[in-house]
């Protein structure tokens, strides 16, 4: 959408207009926003495309899509129903006081179809305020019906007309949090009846006789290694230590989800599964994600397999991709495999895991010559049946995690080598602006490092100094924060963080749509079906851009839910003194909870003089449940405690 609109500013040839944008083009012509000259469309003067920003006072501003456009950050005189994040076309208005304003002519794309509001009392009246902006919303409901609802009722409304489409529940109910987090980002948990029927039509078991052309690997002792609470199993592994052959088998979702089917359209719209502490909001219905596609133990399953062969020095010498059938013989979890690695227990037919661990260590050591070893820990929340937060824990990068990661990286790299255009996972190097900010942050905590043009050497110098000061974990987080976000693209740009020239996502088609799309492309490639390959590439640039957005949204939903659980806990603990670590001290001061519970963000409201990474004692002073924010009062520094 943004690329299409920007092209109108410079002239767009009629033959280059995609079918999906022709209706918008007709609307722009009718509104006289654009003109046509010699089969080329141009944007008329005094019009500009942009995204809407809305202040907490309800004032709208326009951020031009074209970064070279000097009409950026215009105050919008008339929003015409546009909401935050919407893409609009505006007419430029010049006032007598030489001030420039903008008026929304048309909303071209709504960032959100729906919004959340909560009922509040204003004098004798009951009104609704928007969850994100705090602004009063004139919803389409009678005063009588609003008064019938208890104050604090959360409603989902249609952005186009402000009609109430769902009553989510009351803000004081802990179980409403997941509904709020999903609704804030237009995410839906339920599948349509058509999607469910398509999923159920695949049955509950694999009839092997139907797949004579697949390579039968059911005699091999494949296993899966996943978190203890996992329900969908994308990948299984087997290692023949005598032949030095590693088999990475991935659930063949593309065998069940056909392009442009109802299931496929829904999966594309979701993009990714969303993981809460107590459940998953899956990209695919459970009959697929947790049954026929999932590589469950002792069940025949269809897979897409990479066979990776190594020489006696453990150099990769051959990669083969094919469709197969496996029967995973055992389901392991990470914790038990780590225990086996320590105790060296006899795993019988799975003893190959010990040899695979050696291979993994060799591969990792070689990979880290060009990549980075970041000490990251993933925060996990434990909640009870009533959705109360009980505890938190950090999931470390253990040997079992590393083993699976190295196997998946091999498969992902191998897949990337098979295509020139398709779906790539790219990650660019840090830009100079972020490097400068990182240097300032490092200097504030006593790490004085000289910049190097070779960013890999530069980062490794930082990590070396951080090790000396026993600040490695904290500094790694600062480095990661300063890097660019990884994204999906139809062309390869390399992966800076992993140190790979080519990289893609192949190994999680149950929970990531890019992997499913890649599987289809690779199958077309294996069959030398150029017509199908080209067909699958239709609108691939837009698909990759949209999938990058959906990925970030899925992460935001999970983080929003965590913030809400922390806010609920803090509400019950106002006045409690807690330990925390300062993680932001530029414009506002934010600390991360580092007490019995860990990970919550605390906004410190009575000081800005604290140092980055400083340990502090805070007192929880207030909580905003709607915005899921915790406010705290600074008590004292605790570096010497």
């Amino acid at each position: 959408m943004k690329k299409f609109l920007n092209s109108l500013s410079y002239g767009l040839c009629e033959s280059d207009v995609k079918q999906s944008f022709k209706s918008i083009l007709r609307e722009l012509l009718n509104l006289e926003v654009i003109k046509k000259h010699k089969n080329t469309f141009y944007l008329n003067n005094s019009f500009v495309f942009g995204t809407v920003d809305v202040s907490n006072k309800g004032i709208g501003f326009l951020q031009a899509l074209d970064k070279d456009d000097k009409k950026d950050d215009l105050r919008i005189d008339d929003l015409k129903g546009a909401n935050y994040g919407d893409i609009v076309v505006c007419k430029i208005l010049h006032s007598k006081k030489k001030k420039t304003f903008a008026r929304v002519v048309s909303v071209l794309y709504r960032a959100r179809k729906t919004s959340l509001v909560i009922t509040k009392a204003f004098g004798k009246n009951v009104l609704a305020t928007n969850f994100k902006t705090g602004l009063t919303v004139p919803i389409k409901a009678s005063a009588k019906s609003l008064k019938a609802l208890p104050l604090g009722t959360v409603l989902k409304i249609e952005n186009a007309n402000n009609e109430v489409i769902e009553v989510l529940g009351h803000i004081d109910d802990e179980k409403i949090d997941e509904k709020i987090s999903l609704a804030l980002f237009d995410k839906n948990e339920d599948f349509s009846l058509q999607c469910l029927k398509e999923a159920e039509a695949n049955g509950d078991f694999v009839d092997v006789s139907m797949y004579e052309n697949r390579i039968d690997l059911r005699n091999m002792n494949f296993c899966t290694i996943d978190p203890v609470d996992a329900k969908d199993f994308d990948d299984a592994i087997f290692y023949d230590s005598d032949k030095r052959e590693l088999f990475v088998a991935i659930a063949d979702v593309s065998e069940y989800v056909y392009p442009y089917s109802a299931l496929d359209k829904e999966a594309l719209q979701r993009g990714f599964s969303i993981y809460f502490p107590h459940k998953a909001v899956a990209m695919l219905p459970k009959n697929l994600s947790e049954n026929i596609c999932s590589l469950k133990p002792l069940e025949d399953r269809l897979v897409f397999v990479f066979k990776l062969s190594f020489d006696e020095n453990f150099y990769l010498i051959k990669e083969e991709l094919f469709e197969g059938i496996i029967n995973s013989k055992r389901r392991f979890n990470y914790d038990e495999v780590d225990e086996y690695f320590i105790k060296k227990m006899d795993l019988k037919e799975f003893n190959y895991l010990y040899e695979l661990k050696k291979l993994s260590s060799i591969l990792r050591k070689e990979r880290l010559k060009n990549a980075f070893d970041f000490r990251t820990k993933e925060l996990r929340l434990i909640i009870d049946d009533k959705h109360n937060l009980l505890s938190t824990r950090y999931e470390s990068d253990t040997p079992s995690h590393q083993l699976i990661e190295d196997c998946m990286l091999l498969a992902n790299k191998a897949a990337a080598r098979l295509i020139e255009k398709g779906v790539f996972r790219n990650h660019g190097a840090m830009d100079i602006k972020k490097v400068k900010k990182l240097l300032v942050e490092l200097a504030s905590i006593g790490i004085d490092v000289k910049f190097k043009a070779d960013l890999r050497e530069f980062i490794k110098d930082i990590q070396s100094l951080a090790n000396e000061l026993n600040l490695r974990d904290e500094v790694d987080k600062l480095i990661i924060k300063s890097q660019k976000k990884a994204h999906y693209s139809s062309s390869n740009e390399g992966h800076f963080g992993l140190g790979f020239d080519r990289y893609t996502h192949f190994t999680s088609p149950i929970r990531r749509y890019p992997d499913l799309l890649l599987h289809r492309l690779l199958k077309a490639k294996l069959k030398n079906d150029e017509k199908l390959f080209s067909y699958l590439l239709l609108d691939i640039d837009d698909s990759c851009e949209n999938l990058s957005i959906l990925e970030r949204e899925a992460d935001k939903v999970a983080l929003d839910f965590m913030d809400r659980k922390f806010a609920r806990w803090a509400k019950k603990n106002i006045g409690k003194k807690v330990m925390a670590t300062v993680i932001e001290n530029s414009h506002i001061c934010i600390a991360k909870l580092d007490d019995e519970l860990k990970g919550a963000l605390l906004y410190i409201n009575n000081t800005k003089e604290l140092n980055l990474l400083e340990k502090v004692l805070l007192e929880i002073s207030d909580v905003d449940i709607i915005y899921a924010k915790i406010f705290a009062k600074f008590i004292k520094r605790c570096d010497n405690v």
Side-chain angles (χ1 to χ4, degrees), residues 12-38:
L12 176 62
C13 183
E14 187 172 17
S15 60
D16 293 334
V17 178
K18 295 179 181 178
Q19 187 65 37
S20 56
F21 293 132
K22 286 187 177 179
S23 60
I24 294 177
L25 200 68
R26 285 193 294 271
E27 181 183 355
L28 294 175
L29 280 169
N30 291 335
L31 293 170
E32 298 183 350
V33 171
I34 61 174
K35 60 186 175 184
K36 185 178 180 182
H37 178 67
K38 293 183 178 180

PDB file of all heavy atoms in Angstrom, residues 12-38:
ATOM      1  N   LEU A  12       2.943   6.911 -11.873  1.00  0.00           N
ATOM      2  CA  LEU A  12       2.755   5.460 -11.915  1.00  0.00           C
ATOM      3  C   LEU A  12       2.113   5.069 -13.234  1.00  0.00           C
ATOM      4  O   LEU A  12       1.011   5.513 -13.551  1.00  0.00           O
ATOM      5  CB  LEU A  12       1.881   5.004 -10.741  1.00  0.00           C
ATOM      6  CG  LEU A  12       1.522   3.517 -10.693  1.00  0.00           C
ATOM      7  CD1 LEU A  12       2.766   2.652 -10.560  1.00  0.00           C
ATOM      8  CD2 LEU A  12       0.565   3.241  -9.534  1.00  0.00           C
ATOM      9  N   CYS A  13       2.803   4.237 -14.000  1.00  0.00           N
ATOM     10  CA  CYS A  13       2.294   3.778 -15.288  1.00  0.00           C
ATOM     11  C   CYS A  13       1.085   2.868 -15.075  1.00  0.00           C
ATOM     12  O   CYS A  13       1.075   2.027 -14.167  1.00  0.00           O
ATOM     13  CB  CYS A  13       3.391   3.041 -16.048  1.00  0.00           C
ATOM     14  SG  CYS A  13       2.881   2.501 -17.691  1.00  0.00           S
ATOM     15  N   GLU A  14       0.054   3.036 -15.898  1.00  0.00           N
ATOM     16  CA  GLU A  14      -1.181   2.270 -15.753  1.00  0.00           C
ATOM     17  C   GLU A  14      -0.935   0.765 -15.808  1.00  0.00           C
ATOM     18  O   GLU A  14      -1.559  -0.009 -15.089  1.00  0.00           O
ATOM     19  CB  GLU A  14      -2.174   2.675 -16.843  1.00  0.00           C
ATOM     20  CG  GLU A  14      -3.547   2.049 -16.688  1.00  0.00           C
ATOM     21  CD  GLU A  14      -4.555   2.619 -17.659  1.00  0.00           C
ATOM     22  OE1 GLU A  14      -4.136   3.248 -18.664  1.00  0.00           O
ATOM     23  OE2 GLU A  14      -5.771   2.451 -17.415  1.00  0.00           O
ATOM     24  N   SER A  15       0.004   0.336 -16.632  1.00  0.00           N
ATOM     25  CA  SER A  15       0.299  -1.093 -16.771  1.00  0.00           C
ATOM     26  C   SER A  15       0.952  -1.680 -15.526  1.00  0.00           C
ATOM     27  O   SER A  15       0.987  -2.901 -15.348  1.00  0.00           O
ATOM     28  CB  SER A  15       1.202  -1.333 -17.985  1.00  0.00           C
ATOM     29  OG  SER A  15       2.434  -0.639 -17.839  1.00  0.00           O
ATOM     30  N   ASP A  16       1.482  -0.824 -14.638  1.00  0.00           N
ATOM     31  CA  ASP A  16       2.152  -1.283 -13.417  1.00  0.00           C
ATOM     32  C   ASP A  16       1.212  -1.356 -12.212  1.00  0.00           C
ATOM     33  O   ASP A  16       1.635  -1.750 -11.124  1.00  0.00           O
ATOM     34  CB  ASP A  16       3.326  -0.362 -13.074  1.00  0.00           C
ATOM     35  CG  ASP A  16       4.451  -0.451 -14.101  1.00  0.00           C
ATOM     36  OD1 ASP A  16       4.564  -1.511 -14.747  1.00  0.00           O
ATOM     37  OD2 ASP A  16       5.206   0.537 -14.253  1.00  0.00           O
ATOM     38  N   VAL A  17      -0.050  -0.969 -12.416  1.00  0.00           N
ATOM     39  CA  VAL A  17      -1.002  -0.969 -11.303  1.00  0.00           C
ATOM     40  C   VAL A  17      -1.507  -2.389 -11.064  1.00  0.00           C
ATOM     41  O   VAL A  17      -2.068  -3.026 -11.960  1.00  0.00           O
ATOM     42  CB  VAL A  17      -2.194  -0.032 -11.581  1.00  0.00           C
ATOM     43  CG1 VAL A  17      -3.185  -0.090 -10.420  1.00  0.00           C
ATOM     44  CG2 VAL A  17      -1.704   1.390 -11.798  1.00  0.00           C
ATOM     45  N   LYS A  18      -1.321  -2.890  -9.839  1.00  0.00           N
ATOM     46  CA  LYS A  18      -1.793  -4.234  -9.505  1.00  0.00           C
ATOM     47  C   LYS A  18      -3.311  -4.233  -9.341  1.00  0.00           C
ATOM     48  O   LYS A  18      -3.908  -3.225  -8.964  1.00  0.00           O
ATOM     49  CB  LYS A  18      -1.125  -4.712  -8.208  1.00  0.00           C
ATOM     50  CG  LYS A  18       0.381  -4.886  -8.336  1.00  0.00           C
ATOM     51  CD  LYS A  18       0.991  -5.339  -7.019  1.00  0.00           C
ATOM     52  CE  LYS A  18       2.498  -5.499  -7.141  1.00  0.00           C
ATOM     53  NZ  LYS A  18       3.124  -5.898  -5.867  1.00  0.00           N
ATOM     54  N   GLN A  19      -3.897  -5.382  -9.596  1.00  0.00           N
ATOM     55  CA  GLN A  19      -5.344  -5.525  -9.528  1.00  0.00           C
ATOM     56  C   GLN A  19      -5.908  -5.111  -8.167  1.00  0.00           C
ATOM     57  O   GLN A  19      -6.966  -4.490  -8.069  1.00  0.00           O
ATOM     58  CB  GLN A  19      -5.721  -6.986  -9.819  1.00  0.00           C
ATOM     59  CG  GLN A  19      -7.221  -7.234  -9.934  1.00  0.00           C
ATOM     60  CD  GLN A  19      -7.858  -6.530 -11.120  1.00  0.00           C
ATOM     61  OE1 GLN A  19      -7.250  -6.437 -12.183  1.00  0.00           O
ATOM     62  NE2 GLN A  19      -9.061  -6.017 -10.943  1.00  0.00           N
ATOM     63  N   SER A  20      -5.152  -5.437  -7.105  1.00  0.00           N
ATOM     64  CA  SER A  20      -5.628  -5.162  -5.741  1.00  0.00           C
ATOM     65  C   SER A  20      -5.719  -3.667  -5.428  1.00  0.00           C
ATOM     66  O   SER A  20      -6.377  -3.271  -4.473  1.00  0.00           O
ATOM     67  CB  SER A  20      -4.708  -5.848  -4.724  1.00  0.00           C
ATOM     68  OG  SER A  20      -3.361  -5.428  -4.900  1.00  0.00           O
ATOM     69  N   PHE A  21      -5.053  -2.812  -6.246  1.00  0.00           N
ATOM     70  CA  PHE A  21      -5.048  -1.373  -5.975  1.00  0.00           C
ATOM     71  C   PHE A  21      -5.944  -0.587  -6.933  1.00  0.00           C
ATOM     72  O   PHE A  21      -6.065   0.637  -6.814  1.00  0.00           O
ATOM     73  CB  PHE A  21      -3.624  -0.812  -6.051  1.00  0.00           C
ATOM     74  CG  PHE A  21      -2.712  -1.313  -4.970  1.00  0.00           C
ATOM     75  CD1 PHE A  21      -1.444  -1.800  -5.285  1.00  0.00           C
ATOM     76  CD2 PHE A  21      -3.105  -1.315  -3.648  1.00  0.00           C
ATOM     77  CE1 PHE A  21      -0.603  -2.275  -4.299  1.00  0.00           C
ATOM     78  CE2 PHE A  21      -2.268  -1.785  -2.654  1.00  0.00           C
ATOM     79  CZ  PHE A  21      -1.010  -2.265  -2.975  1.00  0.00           C
ATOM     80  N   LYS A  22      -6.587  -1.270  -7.871  1.00  0.00           N
ATOM     81  CA  LYS A  22      -7.355  -0.552  -8.892  1.00  0.00           C
ATOM     82  C   LYS A  22      -8.583   0.152  -8.317  1.00  0.00           C
ATOM     83  O   LYS A  22      -8.962   1.228  -8.782  1.00  0.00           O
ATOM     84  CB  LYS A  22      -7.750  -1.511 -10.010  1.00  0.00           C
ATOM     85  CG  LYS A  22      -6.561  -1.867 -10.906  1.00  0.00           C
ATOM     86  CD  LYS A  22      -6.963  -2.692 -12.117  1.00  0.00           C
ATOM     87  CE  LYS A  22      -5.740  -2.943 -13.004  1.00  0.00           C
ATOM     88  NZ  LYS A  22      -6.076  -3.767 -14.192  1.00  0.00           N
ATOM     89  N   SER A  23      -9.203  -0.433  -7.303  1.00  0.00           N
ATOM     90  CA  SER A  23     -10.378   0.216  -6.700  1.00  0.00           C
ATOM     91  C   SER A  23      -9.976   1.509  -5.995  1.00  0.00           C
ATOM     92  O   SER A  23     -10.704   2.514  -6.042  1.00  0.00           O
ATOM     93  CB  SER A  23     -11.067  -0.735  -5.720  1.00  0.00           C
ATOM     94  OG  SER A  23     -10.187  -1.106  -4.673  1.00  0.00           O
ATOM     95  N   ILE A  24      -8.804   1.497  -5.332  1.00  0.00           N
ATOM     96  CA  ILE A  24      -8.311   2.717  -4.664  1.00  0.00           C
ATOM     97  C   ILE A  24      -7.982   3.767  -5.719  1.00  0.00           C
ATOM     98  O   ILE A  24      -8.259   4.958  -5.539  1.00  0.00           O
ATOM     99  CB  ILE A  24      -7.061   2.398  -3.822  1.00  0.00           C
ATOM    100  CG1 ILE A  24      -7.435   1.469  -2.663  1.00  0.00           C
ATOM    101  CG2 ILE A  24      -6.419   3.675  -3.293  1.00  0.00           C
ATOM    102  CD1 ILE A  24      -6.267   1.039  -1.816  1.00  0.00           C
ATOM    103  N   LEU A  25      -7.411   3.324  -6.839  1.00  0.00           N
ATOM    104  CA  LEU A  25      -7.060   4.244  -7.919  1.00  0.00           C
ATOM    105  C   LEU A  25      -8.307   4.948  -8.454  1.00  0.00           C
ATOM    106  O   LEU A  25      -8.302   6.168  -8.677  1.00  0.00           O
ATOM    107  CB  LEU A  25      -6.361   3.466  -9.039  1.00  0.00           C
ATOM    108  CG  LEU A  25      -5.509   4.275 -10.015  1.00  0.00           C
ATOM    109  CD1 LEU A  25      -4.286   4.833  -9.316  1.00  0.00           C
ATOM    110  CD2 LEU A  25      -5.085   3.419 -11.194  1.00  0.00           C
ATOM    111  N   ARG A  26      -9.385   4.189  -8.634  1.00  0.00           N
ATOM    112  CA  ARG A  26     -10.642   4.786  -9.129  1.00  0.00           C
ATOM    113  C   ARG A  26     -11.184   5.811  -8.132  1.00  0.00           C
ATOM    114  O   ARG A  26     -11.662   6.878  -8.525  1.00  0.00           O
ATOM    115  CB  ARG A  26     -11.677   3.684  -9.371  1.00  0.00           C
ATOM    116  CG  ARG A  26     -11.419   2.857 -10.629  1.00  0.00           C
ATOM    117  CD  ARG A  26     -12.642   2.011 -10.985  1.00  0.00           C
ATOM    118  NE  ARG A  26     -12.900   0.988  -9.986  1.00  0.00           N
ATOM    119  CZ  ARG A  26     -12.382  -0.229 -10.013  1.00  0.00           C
ATOM    120  NH1 ARG A  26     -11.556  -0.578 -10.988  1.00  0.00           N
ATOM    121  NH2 ARG A  26     -12.677  -1.113  -9.080  1.00  0.00           N
ATOM    122  N   GLU A  27     -11.086   5.480  -6.837  1.00  0.00           N
ATOM    123  CA  GLU A  27     -11.567   6.417  -5.811  1.00  0.00           C
ATOM    124  C   GLU A  27     -10.761   7.711  -5.836  1.00  0.00           C
ATOM    125  O   GLU A  27     -11.318   8.810  -5.745  1.00  0.00           O
ATOM    126  CB  GLU A  27     -11.475   5.771  -4.427  1.00  0.00           C
ATOM    127  CG  GLU A  27     -11.990   6.682  -3.317  1.00  0.00           C
ATOM    128  CD  GLU A  27     -11.831   6.081  -1.928  1.00  0.00           C
ATOM    129  OE1 GLU A  27     -11.413   4.906  -1.835  1.00  0.00           O
ATOM    130  OE2 GLU A  27     -12.105   6.789  -0.951  1.00  0.00           O
ATOM    131  N   LEU A  28      -9.446   7.593  -5.984  1.00  0.00           N
ATOM    132  CA  LEU A  28      -8.572   8.780  -6.014  1.00  0.00           C
ATOM    133  C   LEU A  28      -8.850   9.638  -7.244  1.00  0.00           C
ATOM    134  O   LEU A  28      -8.786  10.872  -7.178  1.00  0.00           O
ATOM    135  CB  LEU A  28      -7.104   8.353  -5.977  1.00  0.00           C
ATOM    136  CG  LEU A  28      -6.634   7.661  -4.686  1.00  0.00           C
ATOM    137  CD1 LEU A  28      -5.201   7.181  -4.821  1.00  0.00           C
ATOM    138  CD2 LEU A  28      -6.762   8.604  -3.491  1.00  0.00           C
ATOM    139  N   LEU A  29      -9.182   8.986  -8.382  1.00  0.00           N
ATOM    140  CA  LEU A  29      -9.537   9.732  -9.599  1.00  0.00           C
ATOM    141  C   LEU A  29     -10.853  10.474  -9.397  1.00  0.00           C
ATOM    142  O   LEU A  29     -10.987  11.648  -9.776  1.00  0.00           O
ATOM    143  CB  LEU A  29      -9.645   8.780 -10.786  1.00  0.00           C
ATOM    144  CG  LEU A  29      -8.337   8.343 -11.450  1.00  0.00           C
ATOM    145  CD1 LEU A  29      -8.586   7.204 -12.423  1.00  0.00           C
ATOM    146  CD2 LEU A  29      -7.672   9.525 -12.170  1.00  0.00           C
ATOM    147  N   ASN A  30     -11.840   9.807  -8.784  1.00  0.00           N
ATOM    148  CA  ASN A  30     -13.145  10.437  -8.538  1.00  0.00           C
ATOM    149  C   ASN A  30     -13.029  11.625  -7.600  1.00  0.00           C
ATOM    150  O   ASN A  30     -13.767  12.614  -7.730  1.00  0.00           O
ATOM    151  CB  ASN A  30     -14.128   9.411  -7.958  1.00  0.00           C
ATOM    152  CG  ASN A  30     -14.526   8.357  -8.970  1.00  0.00           C
ATOM    153  OD1 ASN A  30     -14.478   8.603 -10.176  1.00  0.00           O
ATOM    154  ND2 ASN A  30     -14.912   7.181  -8.497  1.00  0.00           N
ATOM    155  N   LEU A  31     -12.125  11.532  -6.640  1.00  0.00           N
ATOM    156  CA  LEU A  31     -11.925  12.623  -5.675  1.00  0.00           C
ATOM    157  C   LEU A  31     -10.996  13.706  -6.222  1.00  0.00           C
ATOM    158  O   LEU A  31     -10.722  14.700  -5.540  1.00  0.00           O
ATOM    159  CB  LEU A  31     -11.334  12.062  -4.376  1.00  0.00           C
ATOM    160  CG  LEU A  31     -12.257  11.138  -3.558  1.00  0.00           C
ATOM    161  CD1 LEU A  31     -11.464  10.470  -2.435  1.00  0.00           C
ATOM    162  CD2 LEU A  31     -13.428  11.932  -2.976  1.00  0.00           C
ATOM    163  N   GLU A  32     -10.504  13.493  -7.441  1.00  0.00           N
ATOM    164  CA  GLU A  32      -9.575  14.419  -8.113  1.00  0.00           C
ATOM    165  C   GLU A  32      -8.284  14.604  -7.309  1.00  0.00           C
ATOM    166  O   GLU A  32      -7.662  15.673  -7.333  1.00  0.00           O
ATOM    167  CB  GLU A  32     -10.249  15.769  -8.369  1.00  0.00           C
ATOM    168  CG  GLU A  32     -11.451  15.658  -9.301  1.00  0.00           C
ATOM    169  CD  GLU A  32     -12.073  17.014  -9.622  1.00  0.00           C
ATOM    170  OE1 GLU A  32     -11.696  18.020  -8.979  1.00  0.00           O
ATOM    171  OE2 GLU A  32     -12.931  17.064 -10.510  1.00  0.00           O
ATOM    172  N   VAL A  33      -7.904  13.546  -6.592  1.00  0.00           N
ATOM    173  CA  VAL A  33      -6.629  13.546  -5.862  1.00  0.00           C
ATOM    174  C   VAL A  33      -5.485  13.288  -6.832  1.00  0.00           C
ATOM    175  O   VAL A  33      -4.391  13.824  -6.682  1.00  0.00           O
ATOM    176  CB  VAL A  33      -6.640  12.473  -4.752  1.00  0.00           C
ATOM    177  CG1 VAL A  33      -5.263  12.311  -4.128  1.00  0.00           C
ATOM    178  CG2 VAL A  33      -7.665  12.838  -3.690  1.00  0.00           C
ATOM    179  N   ILE A  34      -5.768  12.467  -7.853  1.00  0.00           N
ATOM    180  CA  ILE A  34      -4.757  12.169  -8.873  1.00  0.00           C
ATOM    181  C   ILE A  34      -5.315  12.517 -10.245  1.00  0.00           C
ATOM    182  O   ILE A  34      -6.519  12.673 -10.427  1.00  0.00           O
ATOM    183  CB  ILE A  34      -4.330  10.683  -8.843  1.00  0.00           C
ATOM    184  CG1 ILE A  34      -5.537   9.768  -9.115  1.00  0.00           C
ATOM    185  CG2 ILE A  34      -3.668  10.336  -7.530  1.00  0.00           C
ATOM    186  CD1 ILE A  34      -5.166   8.300  -9.240  1.00  0.00           C
ATOM    187  N   LYS A  35      -4.425  12.624 -11.204  1.00  0.00           N
ATOM    188  CA  LYS A  35      -4.827  12.874 -12.602  1.00  0.00           C
ATOM    189  C   LYS A  35      -4.093  11.888 -13.499  1.00  0.00           C
ATOM    190  O   LYS A  35      -3.052  11.327 -13.118  1.00  0.00           O
ATOM    191  CB  LYS A  35      -4.483  14.305 -13.005  1.00  0.00           C
ATOM    192  CG  LYS A  35      -3.002  14.633 -12.920  1.00  0.00           C
ATOM    193  CD  LYS A  35      -2.753  16.099 -13.186  1.00  0.00           C
ATOM    194  CE  LYS A  35      -1.263  16.443 -12.979  1.00  0.00           C
ATOM    195  NZ  LYS A  35      -1.004  17.872 -13.146  1.00  0.00           N
ATOM    196  N   LYS A  36      -4.639  11.676 -14.669  1.00  0.00           N
ATOM    197  CA  LYS A  36      -4.050  10.739 -15.620  1.00  0.00           C
ATOM    198  C   LYS A  36      -3.564  11.495 -16.843  1.00  0.00           C
ATOM    199  O   LYS A  36      -4.291  12.306 -17.422  1.00  0.00           O
ATOM    200  CB  LYS A  36      -5.083   9.689 -16.025  1.00  0.00           C
ATOM    201  CG  LYS A  36      -4.542   8.592 -16.927  1.00  0.00           C
ATOM    202  CD  LYS A  36      -5.647   7.577 -17.233  1.00  0.00           C
ATOM    203  CE  LYS A  36      -5.148   6.464 -18.143  1.00  0.00           C
ATOM    204  NZ  LYS A  36      -6.235   5.509 -18.480  1.00  0.00           N
ATOM    205  N   HIS A  37      -2.308  11.224 -17.220  1.00  0.00           N
ATOM    206  CA  HIS A  37      -1.728  11.875 -18.395  1.00  0.00           C
ATOM    207  C   HIS A  37      -0.863  10.867 -19.140  1.00  0.00           C
ATOM    208  O   HIS A  37       0.112  10.342 -18.591  1.00  0.00           O
ATOM    209  CB  HIS A  37      -0.887  13.087 -17.969  1.00  0.00           C
ATOM    210  CG  HIS A  37      -0.217  13.780 -19.126  1.00  0.00           C
ATOM    211  ND1 HIS A  37      -0.928  14.453 -20.087  1.00  0.00           N
ATOM    212  CD2 HIS A  37       1.103  13.888 -19.470  1.00  0.00           C
ATOM    213  CE1 HIS A  37      -0.086  14.967 -20.972  1.00  0.00           C
ATOM    214  NE2 HIS A  37       1.157  14.628 -20.614  1.00  0.00           N
ATOM    215  N   LYS A  38      -1.257  10.556 -20.377  1.00  0.00           N
ATOM    216  CA  LYS A  38      -0.520   9.599 -21.212  1.00  0.00           C
ATOM    217  C   LYS A  38      -0.282   8.266 -20.495  1.00  0.00           C
ATOM    218  O   LYS A  38       0.854   7.807 -20.343  1.00  0.00           O
ATOM    219  CB  LYS A  38       0.818  10.198 -21.661  1.00  0.00           C
ATOM    220  CG  LYS A  38       0.665  11.372 -22.617  1.00  0.00           C
ATOM    221  CD  LYS A  38       2.018  11.878 -23.083  1.00  0.00           C
ATOM    222  CE  LYS A  38       1.846  13.022 -24.083  1.00  0.00           C
ATOM    223  NZ  LYS A  38       3.162  13.539 -24.572  1.00  0.00           N
TER     224      LYS A  38
END
